[in-house]
Amino acid sequence: MAEQDSIAVIGAGVIGSAIACALAREGRHVLLIDRAPPGEGGASFGNAGHIATELLEPLPSPALLFGFWRELFALGGVLDIPSRRLVKFLPWATRFARAAFRRAENTRHLAPFVRPAVPALMGMLGEIGRADLIRQHGHYQVWLGGDGERRAREQARAMGELLVPTQPAAREFLESVRRAAGASSVAALWFPKCAHVLDPLEVVRAFANAAIQRGASFLRHDVRALRAAGHGMQVITDSGTLSVGGTIVCTGVWSAPLLEPFGFKVPLEAARGYHVQMPDSTPLVDAPILYSDANIVVTPMAGRVRATSFMEFSGADAPPDPRKPEWLRSKLRALGYACDDRVPSWVGPRPVLPDYLPAMGRAAHHPNLLYAFGHQHIGLTLCAVTAQAMADLVAGREPAVDISAFDLRRFGAGKFSS
């Protein structure tokens, strides 16, 4: 099939669907390709729904590097690195450790990209008539127990240094959290500039549908490989070969096999998260709550409350670990939520590179091969700013925010090979 004037966006998660929407808005002939319906095949389906513009710093830090063991699942935490994967995981972990000592530099790259995320997403959803999917009510960070006040002051000071505004939470909110959890004391900060969406899957569908309404096509194919072909690309799928003018790889944790034949090094891991959903549950407040002691985010959504947690490095396609949703349900009950053993659960793989910066750019020796993936825990947060940046790259414009640090060549990617 020949579509030489088209651009194939491979992967219909929130990143790929937003990019397809932005490209179609500019009149480009877009093929959005995924093996699953938009939003249903990866991490986009089940994320926390929190637009996390406070997360300006990449995760790797000296403090985490030397204290990660406290977060291990075996010790009651949310970090799980199965022993069977240690040998394969070690090269990624080594790069993570190196990145921990470059946190300040990497923050200078990431922060300008994260800061405009809320107005960018609100604007993009408003433009396609789906402003109803997002609310800017901020979010809350909560600490239970005797040292909560101290920890809240430390976090407010740290956020202030990053120019992230916070306010002490209202007394009514503190009391509702304390009463629900049966805690002796509680402290909390409100982050007024953050936001949340009412249904992450509907956000993806909204972008994909808007792209289709603007002339894009959605193809349900499993993309097996890419091949350079003259001035264009060939997309090899389970249903045949497509000839296109260009491609953008947005396949999350499954991106590396598509790019490595072109000489790229892609040290990509899947940090799997779990959620449980409480249908018809009444939230404590119409905003996400981060329970810092438990590392759980609870978000009010349409018709349910969703709670998310865990960083599990068991492999993208490993079977779910039933202990994780059980742990979540137990913690939620202790926090005062009506969460019995029948509430549904989900697991999905977040694509993370060891420096916790995304991968965005184009192949140096083939300008029609581009990529956008690896947005770690904030893919939904960054979808709109990523979409605009990629539309700028396709059009030959300079993106509003410098994304050169997100080029895969930072990992020593080699020359293009056909």
Side-chain angles (χ1 to χ4, degrees):
M1 176 179 176
E3 296 282 359
Q4 289 288 0
D5 63 337
S6 65
I7 184 163
V9 178
I10 304 170
V14 71
I15 296 294
S17 295
I19 290 171
C21 182
L23 293 174
R25 177 182 60 203
E26 298 192 355
R28 302 194 181 278
H29 184 192
V30 179
L31 303 179
L32 180 60
I33 308 173
D34 202 309
R35 62 188 178 188
E40 296 185 21
S44 297
F45 175 87
N47 69 58
H50 169 39
I51 311 305
T53 49
E54 80 282 6
L55 296 182
L56 302 176
E57 297 177 294
L59 185 63
S61 70
L64 180 59
L65 186 61
F66 296 112
F68 76 93
W69 59 271
R70 299 184 185 93
E71 306 297 333
L72 290 172
F73 183 59
L75 301 178
V78 299
L79 173 63
D80 193 10
I81 308 170
S83 57
R84 62 177 172 79
R85 292 204 73 238
L86 285 176
V87 172
K88 188 172 183 180
F89 185 72
L90 184 59
W92 188 94
T94 301
R95 290 180 182 267
F96 182 97
R98 292 173 186 157
F101 297 99
R102 299 195 304 271
R103 194 185 204 197
E105 176 187 352
N106 287 339
T107 297
R108 287 193 292 271
H109 299 313
L110 183 63
F113 203 58
V114 176
R115 289 190 194 279
V118 167
L121 182 54
M122 293 183 76
M124 196 168 180
L125 287 171
E127 181 192 28
I128 63 173
R130 294 309 312 267
D132 59 301
L133 288 172
I134 189 168
R135 292 178 180 171
Q136 190 175 10
H137 296 170
H139 88 276
Y140 294 85
Q141 186 170 1
V142 169
W143 295 266
L144 302 174
D147 68 341
E149 292 287 350
R150 175 187 62 79
R151 295 171 68 189
R153 287 194 300 270
E154 290 176 352
Q155 178 69 333
R157 184 164 52 250
M159 290 293 99
E161 292 174 356
L162 293 169
L163 304 180
V164 175
T166 63
Q167 298 177 22
R171 183 176 303 174
E172 294 82 0
F173 172 77
L174 293 172
E175 180 58 23
S176 66
V177 172
R178 188 201 64 77
R179 188 167 54 247
S184 58
S185 62
V186 61
L189 293 176
W190 180 47
F191 293 69
K193 296 296 185 180
C194 297
H196 73 284
V197 302
L198 300 186
D199 193 320
L201 177 59
E202 284 303 312
V203 171
V204 182
R205 288 171 172 166
F207 287 144
N209 289 337
I212 292 168
Q213 290 168 8
R214 291 165 169 169
S217 300
F218 174 68
L219 304 178
R220 184 89 179 267
H221 297 318
D222 185 3
V223 175
R224 304 288 175 79
L226 302 176
R227 183 184 302 137
H231 296 293
M233 299 290 296
Q234 288 185 334
V235 181
I236 294 89
T237 79
D238 57 341
S239 301
T241 298
L242 302 171
S243 295
V244 296
T247 59
I248 305 179
V249 176
C250 308
T251 45
V253 297
W254 298 281
S255 297
L258 296 178
L259 292 170
E260 286 170 345
F262 295 91
F264 285 104
K265 293 181 180 178
V266 189
L268 191 61
E269 268 288 347
R272 302 208 310 176
Y274 286 74
H275 82 218
V276 297
Q277 297 200 127
M278 296 164 278
D280 303 316
S281 180
T282 301
L284 296 178
V285 66
D286 190 14
I289 301 173
L290 166 59
Y291 291 91
S292 293
D293 308 280
N295 285 308
I296 294 173
V297 177
V298 176
T299 306
M301 294 188 179
R304 73 251 193 226
V305 173
R306 176 178 292 179
T308 59
S309 189
F310 285 105
M311 287 179 60
E312 178 193 82
F313 291 94
S314 60
D317 299 312
D321 182 346
R323 299 174 299 170
K324 307 292 170 49
E326 289 175 6
W327 182 95
L328 262 173
R329 295 182 185 110
S330 174
K331 292 289 185 181
L332 289 165
R333 286 192 290 267
L335 293 170
Y337 292 91
C339 184
D340 62 36
D341 292 335
R342 295 169 295 176
V343 300
S345 64
W346 170 92
V347 59
R350 312 177 191 97
V352 292
L353 292 155
D355 56 9
Y356 265 68
L357 298 179
M360 293 175 59
R362 67 170 79 239
H365 295 272
H366 201 288
N368 294 327
L369 173 60
L370 298 92
Y371 52 86
F373 62 92
H375 291 71
Q376 34 115 342
H377 305 248
I378 51 176
L380 175 63
T381 296
L382 295 178
C383 65
V385 290
T386 296
Q388 185 56 57
M390 297 308 294
D392 289 339
L393 283 186
V394 170
R397 303 185 296 259
E398 282 292 323
V401 177
D402 181 12
I403 63 169
S404 59
F406 305 156
D407 194 299
L408 278 174
R409 282 173 289 183
R410 70 189 190 266
F411 298 116
K415 295 181 179 179
F416 172 83
S417 60
S418 59

